[in-house]
Amino acid sequence: MTAHSRLAKPLVEALRAALTQNALPGETHGFSKDQQVEAATFVAECAAVREPGTSIVRLESIGGEAGNRRMRLVTVNEDMPFLVDSVAAAVFASGIEIQRLLHPIVAIERTTDGAIRKVGRGTAESIVYMELRRVDARGRQALLRAVETALRDVCAAVGDWANMVALMAEDADALDADDSEGAELLRWFTKDNFTLLGHINLTKNGGTSKPLGIFRNDFTLWDQDTPITALRTLAKGKHKLLNLKATRLSSVHRRVPLDVVMVHRKGGSISLHAGLWTSVAMRAPADEVPILRERLAALDRELGFAPSSHGGKALSHAISTLPHDLLIGFDAREVRTAALTAMSLVDRPRPRLLLLPDALRLHVYAFAWLPRDEYTTARRKAVAATLERAIDSKLSNWSVELDEGELALLRFTLPMVPNTELPDPEALDRAIMEMVRGWAPSVEGELIALVGSARATRLSLTYLPAFPDAYRLRTGGLEAASDVLQLCGLRSERDRSVRMWRTQPDQGDTLHLKAYARGGLVPLSEVVPVLENFGFRVLEEVPTALADGTLGYIHDFRLELGSVGDLDAIMARSEEIEAAIGSVLSGASENDEFNQLVLFAALSTQAVVWIRAWFRYLRQTGSSFGLVTIVDALRRAPKATSALIRLFSATHDPAGSSQRQKAVERIGREFDDALATVTSIDEDRILRRLRVLVDAIIRTNAFAPAAAEALAFKIDSSRVPGLPAPVPWREIWVYSPRVEGIHLRGGPVARGGIRWSDRRDDFRTEILGLMKAQLVKNAVIVPTGAKGGFYPKQLPSPNNRDVWLAE
């Protein structure tokens, strides 16, 4: 029966009413009458024929608006416990959002072949109707398999429940003689304190027999060696009963690791019970839980606590707050450690970590106590990541308990390889303490180590309250201290500084760079081109504002370096590169492709400025080579480039060698040797042209303090080939990021003025023409003429007259 027209309207209407009549709040929101009829029709089609003892599972897509595509799932079974929560757990485990859930219990009378005869009387059947976020075909198939497995296990567990309870009671009677408290625990379990889901017998050699419940379908709890290990442990006689956690997650009721109870029987076999502690049992007072009450009494006697004393009550409360399902499986010594640790935190709440393995060392359980106010999802993940690294295992389960006290208790379960050593618990405890004890004290401690107590206190009071929570969660103490020192080193709103580093997870040619500013948020359109001109690729950026920006901004970039660079060599020069990038960001240096030479030709910032100044002069003389072409030539010939810089320094640096001429000649030969390896004609021409220019420079202020304001080069024009006529006797080229200028002289004694030019790329041509006019004009006054001109490159807005005139 699939066609809508064949469904009786009374049947559809009865199911529609059943779906909506007792729906929980919010489940029928936005569920129109037409949609209810469509849902009831789908349910009627699915439930139309069902044989006794079988489950029906159906899934179909129902469309929906863009971005909210839906599908609906229906299951039909005889009414029994755990159906809704088991199906919902299977859906959540598949990573699918449930958007509507309706669960009517409907009395249905069926014919002998399973067809619906009447609704409203007959056997109670459970109908679960869900509307879900739509997934692809593969996801739908996986969901159907998960739901079918859950329903199959529910039916098996419920069907065999009475037999499994009887077997647990038999094991309790058999255990009385050897372990009376263990026997009492089994009887306590049968009183609705343990949800039995499966039972199986293990033979001496690890074989299985008589599976019940979920084990009818699959007996997989751990790896294949674990049952043998358990048999050997029980055979030694120390234990007659073992309480363990399985690796397998329960498909019934709650999707958590199964609890396993193993009882050693006469003859050497094991009776294995699997299920889940009930929520009532988990919250029961410790003095009501068998085995726990015995260990509590033993601790009272050992420590001398009277049950009514403060110590006795505190100890009982401490054990009651710990997860009972785990404490039962620990030895008395481990329970003592856990109880006393929890007890010590009651009156003095503080972060603490405790590691305990189970009886077979299949799992390690980590208990982490955090102050309630310090507990966040990010912190829980950070603790879990720390444990995974230390134990070299992946987290299999976690939970959190928030009681009325001052602490949150986090419980983590991690599988471990048997017989392996646990990490140093004290070191882990210190790491967690450092993580949780307070971000600000951690940063202040690092500042004290870096700058001393007095200054660290001032910086902490000023900066630490200004950092937002998102920054605190992702930033450690040492890194935050470094950021504070960078920020406090900025002297003005125009200042910028940067810091480069690599972290352990960084792979290949990736690294981090932080840029610091005080004047305001630095636009990405300003920073990204600077980093790209240095040769980096910007992968992502995370900004942080301190006190909404009043104390500054931190831009955290993740960068990638191309294959042409040696990242290790670059990081070895990180301080010099940081200074170069900061200089460009603050406007003290220009932003162009010449900055790549800092990374890829190992040049200093000063040397790059010299080369940029020489290029700007050559461009004024009519050189046909563009900036990128020249940069590429210098990058591909780093030895020749280095020789050019050393040749200039050897010629003009007052602090240079006393054997100046010999040094110049030696470096000249090194340049010639490097030039011999250049294969490109254009690159050869570029390098030779720069060498000629360096040789033509007679004097410079490059090594004087005035160079910080502007560079000046006095050039013998006759030694520069290709200059247009008339060739000056001398010329002085001036360069800075703010202004460029030139002064042309016709002879040693010459007269002329200076001019403001608006021709950025060829103002030398303009000044040369004016100098020629001065030569004629001054012929009868002085021997020859001269002329100067300049081009301002960073003029402010003309609307601000005072600033404009100052520039």
Side-chain angles (χ1 to χ4, degrees), residues 132-154:
L132 313 171
R133 178 181 54 81
R134 185 175 174 180
V135 295
D136 59 19
R138 182 178 297 179
R140 294 195 292 272
Q141 291 299 318
L143 174 62
L144 283 173
R145 288 193 297 271
V147 172
E148 289 167 353
T149 298
L151 293 176
R152 182 186 63 195
D153 287 348
V154 168

Side-chain angles (χ1 to χ4, degrees), residues 8 104 202 218 222 269-270 307 312 333 345-346 411 552 632 663 698 705:
L202 299 180
D218 177 25
W222 308 281
S269 64
I270 289 179
R333 176 175 55 84
L345 301 174
V346 172
R411 182 181 83 182
D632 288 344
I698 302 172

